[in-house]
């Protein structure tokens, strides 16, 4: 019984940590125009934002000594957004009753704060779809979380 309990606890800690793990795209919201909150998504339209994106630049290379993701060399770039739309979709694990349900509830609370004009932290996207036009990000859509300031 104890090994089973330890395994369940380890899984819970891992899944909870993944909600806060390094994301593939981090968006800092500078000027927000509109926030739409739905049960399983949050859409934020901005006048201005800055995004840091992690891009895989080569196959697995154990000899590479720079920045990596799962052993693959990566490049991190920062891109500005003017008049962009960011759509955060709830991950399956963040559905009610799931191990990340509380993290999604925190995202919804942060979105309500943003609607009220309060400052929030950032959006963390995981495996997002990114549209770039005119060398600026036009939209990002994917699973992720909206973090409160300080997270």
């Amino acid at each position: 019984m104890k090994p089973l309990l330890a395994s369940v606890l380890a899984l819970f800690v891992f899944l909870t940590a993944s909600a806060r793990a390094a994301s593939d795209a981090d968006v800092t919201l500078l000027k927000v125009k509109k926030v739409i909150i739905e049960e399983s998504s949050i859409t934020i339209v901005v006048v201005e934002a800055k995004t840091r994106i992690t891009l895989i630049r080569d196959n697995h290379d154990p000899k590479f000594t720079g920045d990596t993701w799962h052993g693959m060399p990566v490049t991190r770039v920062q891109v500005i957004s003017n008049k962009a739309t960011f759509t955060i979709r709830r991950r399956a694990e963040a559905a009610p009753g799931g191990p990340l349900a509380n993290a999604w509830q925190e995202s919804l609370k942060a979105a309500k704060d943003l609607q009220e004009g309060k400052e929030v932290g950032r959006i963390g996207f995981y495996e997002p779809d990114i549209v770039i036009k005119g060398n600026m990000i036009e939209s990002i859509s994917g699973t992720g979380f909206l973090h409160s300031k300080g997270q």
Side-chain angles (χ1 to χ4, degrees), residues 1-10:
M1 181 68 171
K2 285 184 181 181
L4 175 63
L5 183 58
S7 297
V8 170
L9 181 60

Side-chain angles (χ1 to χ4, degrees), residues 48-59:
E48 185 179 0
K50 287 189 178 177
T51 303
R52 185 180 57 97
I53 305 169
T54 301
L55 302 169
I56 299 170
R57 67 180 213 195
D58 207 348
N59 290 322

Side-chain angles (χ1 to χ4, degrees), residues 31-86:
K31 293 181 186 174
V32 176
K33 181 178 180 181
K34 183 177 177 182
V35 180
I36 302 165
I37 302 170
E38 297 177 10
E39 181 181 339
S40 60
S41 69
I42 300 166
T43 302
I44 302 169
V45 179
V46 302
V47 175
E48 185 179 0
K50 287 189 178 177
T51 303
R52 185 180 57 97
I53 305 169
T54 301
L55 302 169
I56 299 170
R57 67 180 213 195
D58 207 348
N59 290 322
H60 186 270
D61 182 359
K63 296 176 187 171
F64 184 76
T65 59
D67 201 5
T68 63
W69 179 79
H70 294 287
M72 294 179 283
V74 297
T75 298
R76 299 190 197 278
V77 296
Q78 189 165 354
V79 184
I80 193 166
S81 306
N82 292 331
K83 299 180 184 174
T85 302
F86 301 101

